[in-house]
Amino acid sequence: VLHIRTVRPYITYGLIAVNVIIFMFGFFDPSREIQMFLSGANNRDLVLLDGELYRLFSSMFLHASLPHVVFNMFSLYIIGSNLEAIYGHVRFTIIYLLGGLTGALLSTLLSDVYSVGASGAVFAVFGGQIVFLYRHRKLLGRAGQAQMRQMILIAAMNFAVGLASSLSPQRVSIDNWAHIGGFVGGLILASYIGSHYLLERYHTGAANEFMAVDINP
C-alpha cells in the first residue's frame, strides 16, 4: 500500500471559473467580445513593436468560441486537478502560468496571427504530468507507465490536430506554437520544481505500507 499526500485542487477550479466568467462576459454581447479580443489577444507586432507585453498574459484567459473554452476547461479539469493534487497549489500555479507564458512567447516570436486561449497553459500541465509519471515510473508500476503512454498519445494527437488545422484554408486555426511552447515549458518547469518521491515506512509500522515523501524543496 502506497500513501501519497494530496491537496484539494482549488486553483484548478478557480482557473476554470475565471476563464468561464471572462468568456461569458463577452458571450452575450458581441461588441464587448470583439473589444476584449482586440485589446487582449496575443500578436507579434502589438507585443514586440508596441510593447503591449500584458497580451502574453491576457490572451491566456480569452477564448474564440464556446467549443474552444469548453474543450480547454474540460482538459484542465481532467489533467489539472490530478496534477495540482500531487504537486500542491504553488507548484501547480507556477507551471500553469509560466508554462502558459512560455507558449504565448513562442507564439509571439514564431507566428504573426492573433492568438487567444488557455491551450498553452493546459499543455504545460500536460508536460508536468508526463514528467511526474516518467520520474516515478518504477514507483507507480505498470499502471503509471500505461498512464504516461496514454498522456503522450493524447498530446501527440492534439499536436496532429493542430498541424492539420494549420494546413486547412479556414480563417481560424489552432496556435501550434503556443501548444509546443507550453508543453516544453511544462516539461522544464516540472523537471526542476516537480515532486520527487522517496519511500519511507508508513507510521503504522506495517510491513506492506509505505509513504511517498517528497524530497524536492
Side-chain angles (χ1 to χ4, degrees):
V1 179
L2 176 63
H3 299 270
I4 300 177
R5 292 190 179 93
T6 59
V7 300
R8 295 277 187 178
Y10 296 127
I11 302 298
T12 298
Y13 300 153
L15 288 168
I16 292 173
V18 169
N19 277 278
V20 170
I21 289 171
I22 291 175
F23 177 79
M24 297 305 295
F25 188 68
F27 183 72
F28 296 106
D29 188 341
S31 61
R32 181 188 296 158
E33 183 180 24
I34 293 173
Q35 182 60 39
M36 290 168 60
F37 180 87
L38 293 176
S39 60
N42 187 21
N43 177 264
R44 176 195 294 171
D45 292 342
L46 295 174
V47 172
L48 298 181
L49 299 182
D50 295 348
E52 298 180 2
L53 299 178
Y54 71 89
R55 291 177 179 271
L56 298 173
F57 181 78
S58 62
S59 61
M60 294 165 53
F61 293 90
L62 299 175
H63 289 84
S65 65
L66 183 59
H68 190 200
V69 69
V70 169
F71 181 78
N72 276 345
M73 293 305 102
F74 178 74
S75 300
L76 178 57
Y77 173 77
I78 296 297
I79 306 167
S81 57
N82 184 51
L83 189 68
E84 183 184 356
I86 296 169
Y87 276 12
H89 308 307
V90 175
R91 287 191 281 199
F92 171 79
T93 303
I94 291 173
I95 290 173
Y96 182 90
L97 293 180
L98 290 189
L101 288 174
T102 303
L105 181 59
L106 192 65
S107 174
T108 298
L109 296 176
L110 300 178
S111 174
D112 59 356
V113 300
Y114 281 85
S115 175
V116 295
S119 303
V122 172
F123 266 86
V125 177
F126 257 114
Q129 179 76 349
I130 289 175
V131 168
F132 173 81
L133 293 171
Y134 179 77
R135 176 176 286 167
H136 302 99
R137 59 193 182 280
K138 294 182 179 179
L139 179 66
L140 300 176
R142 293 181 179 178
Q145 294 171 30
Q147 186 180 359
M148 182 177 65
R149 290 193 294 269
Q150 184 181 37
M151 295 290 294
I152 294 174
L153 178 61
I154 293 173
M157 290 174 60
N158 276 274
F159 284 133
V161 170
L163 180 61
S165 76
S166 66
L167 298 176
S168 68
Q170 61 184 353
R171 294 178 59 189
V172 179
S173 62
I174 296 174
D175 189 349
N176 298 294
W177 292 118
H179 290 183
I180 294 171
F183 185 71
V184 173
L187 290 175
I188 295 172
L189 287 163
S191 296
Y192 282 97
I193 69 173
S195 302
H196 194 168
Y197 289 145
L198 289 182
L199 287 185
E200 290 185 0
R201 290 288 183 185
Y202 198 51
H203 60 79
T204 60
N208 64 336
E209 290 194 56
F210 296 88
M211 171 65 72
V213 179
D214 186 6
I215 62 170
N216 189 4

